[in-house]
Amino acid sequence: MGNTLIKIAVPVIGLAAALVIALVGYFVVQSWWSQPPAVLGFGDGPTQPIAFPHTVHVTTAGLDCQFCHRTVSTDEAAGVPAVAQCRFCHDFTRITGEQSESPTAEAEIAKLIGDLIEGPDPVNWARVHRLPDHVQFVHAPHIQQGFSCSTCHGDIASMEVVEQVRNLKMRDCVDCHRNNEAPTDCTTCHY
Ligand code: HEC
Ligand code: HEC
Ligand code: HEC
Ligand code: HEC
Ligand code: HEC
């Protein structure tokens, strides 16, 4: 009698244990997979005070990146244009969005040409890329070396909202420096 019980109990317990292990395993793996990739500390771009689409300006209006990001090949920062530069088209030549099919275009452009915005530096664009303060990055040598914007920023021309697409962490910078015989001592990038 005792023997029969063991003969039944052992496989039943074995099976139950296997099931528990499989289930726990499944949930561990499953929750691990559904985590966002931790190495990539970036995601969707921030909401901007004016919904400025790169798509229209680079593709439809045919503007060069450096028309707006004027200091990218000479300075540390690429620079973001002042409203006066937007008004070059959205005021004097009266591109108001009225003709456009997009219901938001007119309202967004109105922020530029109406009296909603005044003063010398009125638009507080939210930063998309932002290195910590202890790191120095300078655009100029990279552009002079012949790297295109897309090497680090991806296909901005097709982004309605700019987002960070490249890691740009220390390892990423150092790997590229090593591959291109650029300096890798700490003081190159750290003050
Ligand atoms: C008509 C002017 C204009 C043109 C042309 C333009 N940009 Fe911009 N760019 C802006 C403005 C305004 C912002 C800030 C708002 C935003 O992030 O969308 C910006 C933001 C960016 C940012 C994000 C900056 C940050 O905060 O990290 C990148 C990167 C960028 N532009 C790259 C490019 C590249 C590459 C091109 C050419 C393919 C280009 N831009 C063409 C006006 C322009
Ligand atoms: C080697 C990589 C690299 C290349 C190439 C590059 N960028 Fe950047 N860009 C960065 C990094 C890194 C930051 C963040 C800098 C910081 O936070 O100090 C940045 C920030 C920016 C910003 C926001 C801050 C600022 O500097 O005004 C703009 C705008 C920008 N880039 C535009 C451009 C444009 C336009 C080009 C091409 C002409 C370009 N970048 C090429 C790496 C790059
Ligand atoms: C060289 C001319 C030119 C310059 C400079 C320019 N734009 Fe534009 N912009 C255009 C054109 C063309 C359109 C498309 C017109 C339309 O949608 O009716 C447009 C459309 C827009 C729209 C509506 C987009 C949509 O379809 O939803 C916004 C918002 C805008 N621009 C903001 C800006 C801002 C902000 C700046 C300055 C950083 C700027 N523009 C600089 C030519 C320009
Ligand atoms: C796509 C490759 C690439 C990436 C990515 C890159 N760099 Fe560079 N960087 C270079 C090259 C090549 C040079 C050397 C240019 C020269 O010799 O003038 C350079 C030069 C520099 C310089 C100037 C060094 C000097 O003393 O002249 C600094 C600072 C710098 N990089 C910082 C960074 C930081 C910080 C990052 C990451 C956020 C980064 N770089 C990402 C390729 C890259
Ligand atoms: C080519 C550029 C570059 C060089 C060279 C470089 N760093 Fe960095 N470092 C970065 C960037 C970009 C960050 C910020 C992003 C990050 O945390 O990875 C950083 C971050 C750091 C941090 C902070 C990490 C954290 O978790 O906050 C330390 C510490 C550091 N670096 C030490 C060093 C030391 C020590 C050296 C020399 C052996 C060095 N770095 C060389 C680009 C560089």
Side-chain angles (χ1 to χ4, degrees), residues 130-137 142 167-178 182-190:
R130 175 57 107 190
L131 294 175
D133 289 342
H134 59 86
V135 183
Q136 70 162 343
F137 175 81
H142 297 93
N167 176 298
L168 296 169
K169 292 270 186 197
M170 177 155 141
R171 156 115 13 144
D172 189 16
C173 313
V174 171
D175 281 351
C176 188
H177 277 212
R178 210 167 268 139
T184 53
D185 47 290
C186 313
T187 53
T188 307
C189 306
H190 296 289

Side-chain angles (χ1 to χ4, degrees), residues 106-160:
E106 201 178 341
E108 294 301 313
I109 293 172
K111 294 182 186 170
L112 291 167
I113 53 184
D115 37 31
L116 285 168
I117 290 173
E118 276 167 14
D121 192 16
V123 186
N124 272 323
W125 301 110
R127 283 290 295 266
V128 182
H129 303 77
R130 175 57 107 190
L131 294 175
D133 289 342
H134 59 86
V135 183
Q136 70 162 343
F137 175 81
V138 277
H139 274 92
H142 297 93
I143 307 308
Q144 284 157 14
Q145 235 356 256
F147 293 115
S148 71
C149 311
S150 61
T151 311
C152 298
H153 295 300
D155 186 12
I156 296 275
S158 70
M159 294 181 196
E160 289 282 343

Side-chain angles (χ1 to χ4, degrees), residues 63-149:
L63 292 173
D64 190 76
C65 309
Q66 298 196 30
F67 178 86
C68 289
H69 302 292
R70 303 215 148 187
T71 52
V72 75
S73 63
T74 51
D75 285 350
E76 182 167 329
V80 172
V83 167
Q85 225 161 308
C86 312
R87 289 197 176 132
F88 178 81
C89 291
H90 292 297
D91 200 359
F92 302 122
T93 60
R94 293 281 162 199
I95 297 173
T96 60
E98 245 174 85
Q99 321 81 320
S100 132
E101 296 292 306
S102 154
T104 53
E106 201 178 341
E108 294 301 313
I109 293 172
K111 294 182 186 170
L112 291 167
I113 53 184
D115 37 31
L116 285 168
I117 290 173
E118 276 167 14
D121 192 16
V123 186
N124 272 323
W125 301 110
R127 283 290 295 266
V128 182
H129 303 77
R130 175 57 107 190
L131 294 175
D133 289 342
H134 59 86
V135 183
Q136 70 162 343
F137 175 81
V138 277
H139 274 92
H142 297 93
I143 307 308
Q144 284 157 14
Q145 235 356 256
F147 293 115
S148 71
C149 311

Side-chain angles (χ1 to χ4, degrees), residues 4-64:
T4 338
L5 210 74
I6 288 169
K7 268 189 203 144
I8 297 166
V10 165
V12 166
I13 291 167
L15 199 70
L19 250 169
V20 168
I21 289 167
L23 266 174
V24 169
Y26 171 78
F27 282 115
V28 167
V29 170
Q30 141 93 14
S31 64
W32 179 73
W33 271 118
S34 45
Q35 299 271 325
V39 250
L40 311 177
F42 47 85
D44 294 347
T47 307
Q48 297 290 356
I50 298 174
F52 169 82
H54 275 79
T55 44
V56 170
H57 294 88
V58 178
T59 310
T60 314
L63 292 173
D64 190 76

